[in-house]
Amino acid sequence: MLGETDMPFPPLTLPYDITKTFEASELQEISSVWQELSLHEWTAFIVKKPDFETSPEFAEKVLHVLSGGWNEVSENSQEIVAHLANKKCIPTKYGMKIPNESYFDTVDLFPDLPFMVFTKQPLEKLLLDIGARQSVEIQLMFDRLVDTGSWDHIRLVKYLVSVRDKLSPNDIKDLQSRSIFPRADQPTVPSTQPVNRHLASTLYAPTETHINLELPVIEWESDWNERSDEAGILFDLGLGKEPRMMDLLERTAPSYKQATRDEARQFFVSNFERLYRDQYNASSDMAFLPTTCGSVQTRLGCFWNEACGVMGFPILEEDWRNYATLLGIQENPSPEILLDTLSKSPPTSRDKARQVFEYLFSVQAKFQDEHWTKLKTEKFIPLDDTGESLADPQSCYFYREDLPYRDLLATVNFGSSANRFLKACGVKEEPKPIDLAQLVARSPEKFLRHEGVNGYMSILRQIATHLDVIKVNESLLDEMKKSPFLLGEQRVSQDDDAATFPKKTMADGGKSADFIHSEQDENTGQIVHYKLDHAVKIYLVDDTLLQQIFTPFCAPMEDLLETLYESLGSTPISKQEKYLKFNQSWMETELKVRQLPELRVHRKFLPTGVTKSQGTTACIVQDRIKVHYLLISAQEEMDYFDIADALAKLLLKKNKKKKLNDTFMWSNLLSSSLESQA
């Protein structure tokens, strides 16, 4: 092919007129160094000729030579392209241009482009391979369009359709990022001002549906055909073919007119499965659902059951409720949300509480054991309308006229349905013994003031009767031990009372350490003081003499109550004085008896340190070598009661309490003749 041209050749190249008469093998025999001149070698030579960039005729001849062998070139084609790409070797209407600045005459977007001008066009493939353009470069296109100000976007679209198969992915991406297209409904601007243009992805096809939805549609003068090539290229650039979910849901908001809102809602639910389900399921934080209170909520932030509104939850507008299941909107909040709301915002009035509890009763079937457990100790029940007095279910009882201790208990009555919910939470019909024990231990003064001494003693007897059940609850037993709820009584003579003890009662402002109540025993004439105190500060009467001497606060002398007091920490009064116990065998063989002119016993009450001195007719003493003596006074007539009382301290076993009855029995035995005992 090169040999048939009159074009220049590199030095040391045999002319074609000479070589055409020889076969290649014959030339190899003449000289083994001769080789065929390749198109690549010739191109490297010819592009250095000045005429190649100045003479259109010369450049066209070169391109025709290359065209003749271009389809057979493969190995060195890129090297040839590299030689030509930056050479002004393309004749155009504006002179010689490099290939990348030259356009085929089919590009009709701008009439003043440097179109290629050939006497006979070289091979199109060659021209395209070296960089000649069949379409306008995107950047150039926009630079030119911006310079002209207002321009026809529809003409641009038609041009893009004509070169669609020549647009690269990068060209499409570039076009997608350009604000090219005007909106159909934007205000008219003066011709001197540029038209406000938008990305294709922010606009929609000008369909009736999009217009009715008040979506921004592209300005389009002719009838819109979504199957046309123009529509196709616009969709490729991002023009909306279907309403995007966020744009559609935005139009359901109250800021849009009702017709638009209805249209948007209907389109959304009608096309939900086809267009929106996947995106919707992945966007739980999207707030678009209108509620009856005027707010806009996510699908997790509102509910369609109107009844839960009593607790302040947003309720879905009625127009949307038919689609609640489709959109994944729950009928009611979960038990966890309900309990959290009840805890943080409990009802502040009894009427509001009734409504809340009636609603919770309607959904309580969803509650599990852990929810009921939490409700039992949560303070959410208003006892009045101030909002400041809240109680937990376990502290409350249902009101009725014959309820024991009604005035001392937190009683409630919110109606049948509400009460059934509260019963499940732990509100009780009446206090059980274990409840009564806890109530009294926590508010002993209130119970004593209301019930009086006799009534309070009755309560203590009820508690004592069920002591075995109470003992199982170690925390309650510990609370009772730490509470000053036991009633102690102190018996003194009228003279001692007047001289020693102040008259102070609860009515006078006395505290638990003061006397709660005082009265006179009609049988003995003694003054009996009562006060509330801890068990450890109240003593069990196992020695009436010590009781008379030291007059401490003691437990009532009833076996049932003494058992209760002792289980909570009360100790016998005798343990507060130092005495030794001995068995009967030792008494019969080792005890010495002596008579003295006069006897006085000095006693010290350990808890208070008080010492008392008292005359007696008999007592037990121990000498330095630990010999025990029963001392009898010669000054007065022998008192068998004193002797019996002294001996009882030695003869009774350690695990048996000395009772007043024991002393009387022994006294009778000592004073009776042997004949009467026989």
Side-chain angles (χ1 to χ4, degrees):
M1 184 63 67
L2 286 174
E4 297 177 359
T5 182
D6 58 354
M7 297 297 291
F9 293 97
L12 304 178
T13 302
L14 288 175
Y16 178 69
D17 290 340
I18 298 175
T19 60
K20 68 181 180 179
T21 60
F22 294 94
E23 296 291 337
S25 60
E26 292 175 326
L27 292 173
Q28 287 289 326
E29 290 178 1
I30 297 173
S31 176
S32 61
V33 299
W34 286 357
Q35 297 178 358
E36 183 178 0
L37 180 64
S38 68
L39 199 60
H40 167 249
E41 292 172 320
W42 182 77
T43 302
F45 162 75
I46 202 69
V47 298
K48 296 177 182 177
K49 296 295 183 180
D51 288 349
F52 185 61
E53 294 189 89
T54 59
S55 172
E57 295 80 6
F58 184 81
E60 183 174 341
K61 284 184 179 181
V62 172
L63 294 174
H64 277 292
V65 171
L66 293 175
S67 296
W70 191 251
N71 289 328
E72 286 76 32
V73 174
S74 60
E75 182 178 347
N76 297 316
S77 63
Q78 293 302 316
E79 295 179 6
I80 295 175
V81 170
H83 287 308
L84 300 174
N86 295 315
K87 295 292 184 179
K88 294 182 178 180
C89 60
I90 306 296
T92 74
K93 63 186 292 186
Y94 294 117
M96 302 297 285
K97 297 290 183 181
I98 62 175
N100 192 41
E101 296 176 351
S102 307
Y103 292 85
F104 287 89
D105 58 7
T106 55
V107 180
D108 59 356
L109 181 61
F110 302 115
D112 58 347
L113 292 174
F115 297 113
M116 293 182 289
V117 179
F118 292 107
T119 305
K120 179 182 178 182
Q121 182 177 298
L123 183 69
E124 181 177 303
K125 184 177 186 302
L126 168 66
L127 294 174
L128 290 173
D129 286 346
I130 65 177
R133 292 188 170 277
Q134 283 186 314
S135 62
V136 179
E137 183 184 4
I138 301 299
Q139 185 59 52
L140 174 61
M141 179 172 59
F142 282 101
D143 289 345
R144 298 285 295 274
L145 291 174
V146 169
D147 288 342
T148 61
S150 179
W151 43 274
D152 187 352
H153 66 285
I154 297 179
R155 183 183 171 197
L156 172 63
V157 171
K158 293 182 180 299
Y159 166 73
L160 293 175
V161 168
S162 70
V163 297
R164 178 67 182 87
D165 59 341
K166 299 177 179 62
L167 295 174
S168 68
N170 284 336
D171 290 336
I172 296 296
K173 186 176 181 180
D174 194 5
L175 287 166
Q176 290 172 341
S177 66
R178 302 279 184 169
S179 296
I180 304 172
F181 307 102
R183 280 180 56 169
D185 57 350
Q186 64 187 5
T188 303
V189 297
S191 58
T192 56
Q193 296 183 11
V195 176
N196 188 20
R197 299 178 184 274
H198 307 271
L199 299 174
S201 60
T202 64
L203 301 176
Y204 287 90
T207 65
E208 182 179 0
T209 296
H210 295 158
I211 294 171
N212 290 340
L213 288 170
E214 297 187 49
L215 291 168
V217 298
I218 189 171
E219 183 181 291
W220 201 257
E221 295 178 356
S222 59
D223 291 337
W224 175 259
N225 180 3
E226 67 175 23
R227 293 185 176 87
S228 66
D229 292 337
E230 289 80 0
I233 189 69
L234 286 170
F235 291 146
D236 289 343
L237 298 183
L239 186 71
K241 189 174 184 179
E242 301 277 10
R244 287 177 280 272
M245 187 172 71
M246 291 302 296
D247 290 340
L248 184 62
L249 295 180
E250 179 184 340
R251 280 147 182 82
T252 65
S255 56
Y256 285 84
K257 60 186 180 183
Q258 189 62 47
T260 302
R261 296 173 62 190
D262 294 342
E263 181 92 10
R265 180 182 65 253
Q266 190 58 46
F267 188 94
F268 179 62
V269 297
S270 298
N271 295 275
F272 183 78
E273 296 292 348
R274 181 174 68 91
L275 298 175
Y276 305 118
R277 175 173 286 283
D278 291 342
Q279 183 183 356
Y280 181 78
N281 289 343
S283 306
S284 61
D285 59 345
M286 185 170 47
F288 73 95
L289 293 164
T291 65
T292 55
C293 61
S295 66
V296 177
Q297 296 290 332
T298 68
R299 71 173 184 268
L300 301 180
C302 64
F303 308 92
W304 61 265
N305 183 4
E306 287 185 278
C308 70
V310 73
M311 294 187 68
F313 293 106
I315 306 303
L316 188 67
E317 274 191 358
E318 187 174 0
D319 291 343
W320 285 83
R321 291 175 196 168
N322 289 336
Y323 315 112
T325 302
L326 176 71
L327 301 179
I329 302 166
Q330 297 299 312
E331 179 182 5
N332 295 290
S334 67
E336 289 75 17
I337 294 176
L338 289 173
L339 265 62
D340 184 64
T341 302
L342 186 64
S343 174
K344 294 179 179 177
S345 302
T348 56
S349 70
R350 286 170 290 190
D351 184 60
K352 183 71 171 180
R354 176 187 57 78
Q355 300 175 52
V356 170
F357 300 157
E358 286 177 349
Y359 165 69
L360 291 174
F361 170 71
S362 71
V363 297
Q364 71 178 34
K366 299 288 186 180
F367 289 9
Q368 303 296 323
D369 289 345
E370 61 268 23
H371 303 133
W372 294 118
T373 299
K374 182 177 181 181
L375 282 168
K376 289 180 186 297
T377 58
E378 196 72 50
K379 292 186 176 182
F380 64 87
I381 304 175
L383 301 179
D384 53 35
D385 294 330
T386 66
E388 298 178 356
S389 181
L390 298 173
D392 61 85
Q394 294 187 127
S395 301
C396 294
Y397 301 87
F398 291 117
Y399 177 88
R400 69 173 194 265
E401 289 295 332
D402 61 343
L403 178 66
Y405 317 112
R406 185 187 66 198
D407 295 338
L408 300 174
L409 305 176
T411 58
V412 296
N413 182 9
F414 294 99
S416 177
S417 297
N419 285 354
R420 290 169 68 183
F421 167 72
L422 292 176
K423 185 173 183 179
C425 294
V427 176
K428 295 179 280 291
E429 297 291 343
E430 64 179 45
K432 298 178 181 178
I434 194 169
D435 301 322
L436 185 60
Q438 187 175 66
L439 290 167
V440 174
R442 292 178 179 177
S443 303
E445 295 175 355
K446 183 172 71 173
F447 272 82
L448 181 59
R449 186 183 298 111
H450 186 272
E451 296 294 313
V453 170
N454 292 334
Y456 196 83
M457 285 293 189
S458 178
I459 293 175
L460 293 179
R461 291 186 187 99
Q462 291 185 55
I463 295 172
T465 302
H466 298 88
L467 183 59
D468 290 342
V469 177
I470 294 172
K471 283 183 176 180
V472 176
N473 190 329
E474 294 183 1
S475 62
L476 174 56
L477 193 65
D478 186 61
E479 184 177 355
M480 293 168 69
K481 290 179 180 180
K482 295 177 180 178
S483 170
F485 84 99
L486 291 179
L487 195 60
E489 58 181 35
Q490 180 188 56
R491 295 178 174 272
V492 297
S493 66
Q494 294 189 48
D495 293 338
D496 289 340
D497 181 66
T500 308
F501 301 104
K503 299 296 182 294
K504 196 172 186 182
T505 67
M506 286 297 293
D508 300 322
K511 305 302 181 184
S512 60
D514 301 319
F515 302 150
I516 300 300
H517 178 73
S518 298
E519 62 183 26
Q520 186 172 16
D521 189 324
E522 295 180 356
N523 296 324
T524 65
Q526 291 178 309
I527 302 299
V528 184
H529 298 300
Y530 297 94
K531 83 166 183 177
L532 295 169
D533 217 329
H534 302 81
V536 295
K537 296 182 179 180
I538 299 175
Y539 303 97
L540 305 175
V541 179
D542 65 338
D543 190 321
T544 55
L545 184 59
L546 291 180
Q547 181 194 27
Q548 294 172 7
I549 294 173
F550 294 107
T551 64
F553 278 93
C554 298
M557 296 178 67
E558 299 179 23
D559 289 344
L560 185 63
L561 291 178
E562 286 182 333
T563 301
L564 171 65
Y565 282 54
E566 185 175 24
S567 67
L568 298 177
S570 294
T571 55
I573 193 172
S574 62
K575 290 187 179 296
Q576 312 309 315
E577 188 186 29
K578 294 181 179 180
Y579 277 107
L580 297 176
K581 304 285 190 295
F582 300 93
N583 59 36
Q584 186 174 348
S585 175
W586 176 89
M587 188 82 67
E588 294 172 349
T589 58
E590 301 296 332
L591 181 62
K592 310 294 185 182
V593 180
R594 296 288 187 272
Q595 187 177 44
L596 297 176
E598 182 183 2
L599 290 176
R600 295 193 68 83
V601 178
H602 302 278
R603 294 180 175 87
K604 183 177 183 180
F605 194 59
L606 298 179
T608 62
V610 175
T611 301
K612 295 283 187 176
S613 179
Q614 186 179 40
T616 184
T617 62
C619 67
I620 298 291
V621 298
Q622 184 181 28
D623 64 13
R624 293 181 179 178
I625 60 174
K626 298 186 179 180
V627 175
H628 286 80
Y629 294 87
L630 172 60
L631 303 181
I632 305 297
S633 173
Q635 186 178 23
E636 301 180 26
E637 182 179 352
M638 185 178 297
D639 188 335
Y640 290 107
F641 182 87
D642 287 345
I643 297 174
D645 188 62
L647 292 175
K649 291 181 172 63
L650 296 175
L651 292 178
L652 292 179
K653 294 181 179 179
K654 295 178 70 175
N655 63 353
K656 177 174 171 45
K657 298 177 184 177
K658 183 174 75 69
K659 301 290 186 180
L660 182 60
N661 290 340
D662 298 326
T663 302
F664 278 124
M665 180 187 70
W666 287 19
S667 174
N668 290 334
L669 290 174
L670 291 174
S671 61
S672 300
S673 63
L674 292 176
E675 290 80 3
S676 64
Q677 297 180 36

